Amino acid sequence: MDQAERLRSIVKQKSENETEEQIIDSIVKAVENTENQVKKEEKKAKVITVTSGKGGVGKSSVSINLAIQLKKRGREVIIFDADFGLANIEVMFGAVPKYNLSDVVFRGKSIREVIVSGPMDIGFVSGGSGINGLGNMTRDQVMFLVEKLEELESMADILIIDTGAGISDSVMEFLLSSQDILLVTTPEPTSITDSYALLKTLNARAEDNAKNLSVKLVANRVADEAEASNLYYKLNGVINRFLDLKLEYLGMVPWDQNMSKSVMQQKPISIAYPSSAGALAVEKIAAELLGQKMEETEEK
């Protein structure tokens, strides 16, 4: 039923004893409710899931710094730490959250109640650290959290999901519910093979929808663009031959000693060393995701 039909329905339902002013007032309220509903439906965040086949490749660091660079470009961002039981977003942010996802799954807290404010007022939801129950959730519990993401989508422009590494069912569920998948890979042979294993599993789970998935490669800890391009072409060549997925090259983050320094300081490199090679590389990736150029700025 469109807006005009709603208004006609309201007029028909009104009693003949009602005055003209009362009917007009009812119509005005109906229009306002319709407009509010439309705005509510339009407010839905872009979902970006950052993942990796192997742990220790800098996935969480990419997630955090990407959030900061997107925030600098006027976007409201929330990070959802989906590395259940082994979460480290809070450590890298230097924050101590009062609640985490275990409070949502086991104690009835709402997803909004467990959001913590990080640097630059970036919101994040902690996946909990050292909590055994989160590391052994059932599929129903994982799907419960996936459904809860809709609440976060109405609170931000961009929702970044930082998954655990590997090919677990929980990782696959978040990847399949995402608009954009960022695959973080390093030049190490184990990282490349594990990345392919993740994509192979994703391809099988997606079945006929595999070609519709948007998977973008972020080459991390590379020496230069040449090494990043070589990494992409090697992995993409195998994917084109054996899988239905399409892999795009998003960008690279060079090896930067400032990255290690910033982790020790519990400050993201984009804040601690904003002019460093690592920070500028992530800024370029953020601009690419938004369809902008590096020098472009936008008012919120």
Side-chain angles (χ1 to χ4, degrees), residues 9-18 22-23 26-27:
S9 176
I10 290 172
V11 173
K12 289 179 181 178
Q13 292 172 5
K14 294 302 171 184
S15 168
E16 294 180 358
N17 296 326
E18 284 188 305
Q22 289 175 320
I23 295 176
S26 297
I27 293 174

Side-chain angles (χ1 to χ4, degrees), residues 4 34 63 67 72 84 87 92 95 99 114 118 122 125 156-157 159 168 207 211 251:
T34 301
S63 297
K72 287 182 178 180
F84 306 129
M92 301 178 77
Y99 302 112
V114 302
I122 294 174
V125 177
D157 300 312
L159 173 61
S168 68
E207 298 179 341
K211 292 181 180 179

Side-chain angles (χ1 to χ4, degrees), residues 8-295:
R8 284 193 289 269
S9 176
I10 290 172
V11 173
K12 289 179 181 178
Q13 292 172 5
K14 294 302 171 184
S15 168
E16 294 180 358
N17 296 326
E18 284 188 305
T19 65
E20 182 179 348
E21 290 183 355
Q22 289 175 320
I23 295 176
I24 292 175
D25 184 58
S26 297
I27 293 174
V28 170
K29 289 181 179 179
V31 170
E32 290 176 347
N33 290 335
T34 301
E35 290 177 348
N36 291 335
Q37 181 64 29
V38 170
K39 290 179 180 178
K40 183 178 179 181
E41 291 174 356
E42 289 178 349
K43 178 65 174 178
K44 192 171 184 180
K46 179 183 181 67
V47 180
I48 300 174
T49 301
V50 184
T51 191
S52 66
K54 178 180 179 295
V57 298
K59 171 180 55 60
S60 295
S61 180
V62 169
S63 297
I64 288 174
N65 286 285
L66 180 60
I68 291 170
Q69 296 297 345
L70 290 169
K71 178 74 173 184
K72 287 182 178 180
R73 289 177 173 262
R75 302 308 192 269
E76 288 299 325
V77 187
I78 293 177
I79 304 177
F80 183 89
D81 196 337
D83 193 356
F84 306 129
L86 297 172
N88 54 19
I89 295 291
E90 63 217 52
V91 177
M92 301 178 77
F93 265 165
V96 182
K98 183 178 181 180
Y99 302 112
N100 55 56
L101 287 177
S102 68
D103 295 291
V104 177
V105 177
F106 305 117
R107 299 177 186 87
K109 290 285 184 182
S110 72
I111 198 75
R112 292 170 179 262
E113 289 180 286
V114 302
I115 296 177
V116 180
S117 182
M120 297 178 63
D121 288 328
I122 294 174
F124 76 94
V125 177
S126 171
S129 182
I131 300 175
N132 185 56
L134 286 175
N136 297 289
M137 284 193 294
T138 65
R139 185 178 185 279
D140 287 342
Q141 289 172 328
V142 172
M143 291 306 299
F144 169 75
L145 289 178
V146 172
E147 292 172 1
K148 287 293 181 182
L149 291 179
E150 291 186 7
E151 295 182 38
L152 297 180
E153 290 179 32
S154 65
M155 300 173 62
D157 300 312
I158 297 175
L159 173 61
I160 295 178
I161 302 174
D162 182 40
T163 74
I167 58 175
S168 68
D169 288 340
S170 63
V171 171
M172 291 299 123
E173 292 297 345
F174 283 107
L175 294 182
L176 291 171
S177 65
S178 177
Q179 294 166 302
D180 283 308
I181 300 170
L182 271 56
L183 176 64
V184 180
T185 309
T186 68
E188 297 175 3
T190 52
S191 177
I192 297 173
T193 55
D194 287 353
S195 292
Y196 178 73
L198 183 147
L199 293 177
K200 184 178 179 180
T201 305
L202 180 62
N203 184 81
R205 289 286 294 271
E207 298 179 341
D208 295 336
N209 295 321
K211 292 181 180 179
N212 298 324
L213 292 175
S214 176
V215 184
K216 299 177 173 65
L217 179 72
V218 176
N220 195 28
R221 297 174 187 165
V222 293
D224 48 33
E225 281 283 1
E227 186 175 39
S229 296
N230 186 47
L231 170 59
Y232 167 71
Y233 286 119
K234 282 184 177 179
L235 185 56
N236 192 48
V238 182
I239 291 170
N240 285 337
R241 185 175 178 183
F242 298 106
L243 305 180
D244 291 329
L245 290 170
K246 180 181 178 182
L247 181 66
E248 300 176 35
Y249 177 73
L250 181 61
M252 69 91 176
V253 182
W255 184 88
D256 189 341
Q257 61 180 354
N258 290 314
M259 190 69 77
S260 299
K261 291 181 181 179
S262 66
V263 172
M264 294 299 294
Q265 297 171 19
Q266 291 185 282
K267 290 182 179 180
I269 191 173
S270 294
I271 292 178
Y273 304 97
S275 299
S276 65
L280 293 176
V282 180
E283 181 185 358
K284 186 176 180 180
I285 290 173
E288 187 72 22
L289 284 171
L290 296 177
Q292 301 175 353
K293 296 180 180 179
M294 281 285 286
E295 63 272 15

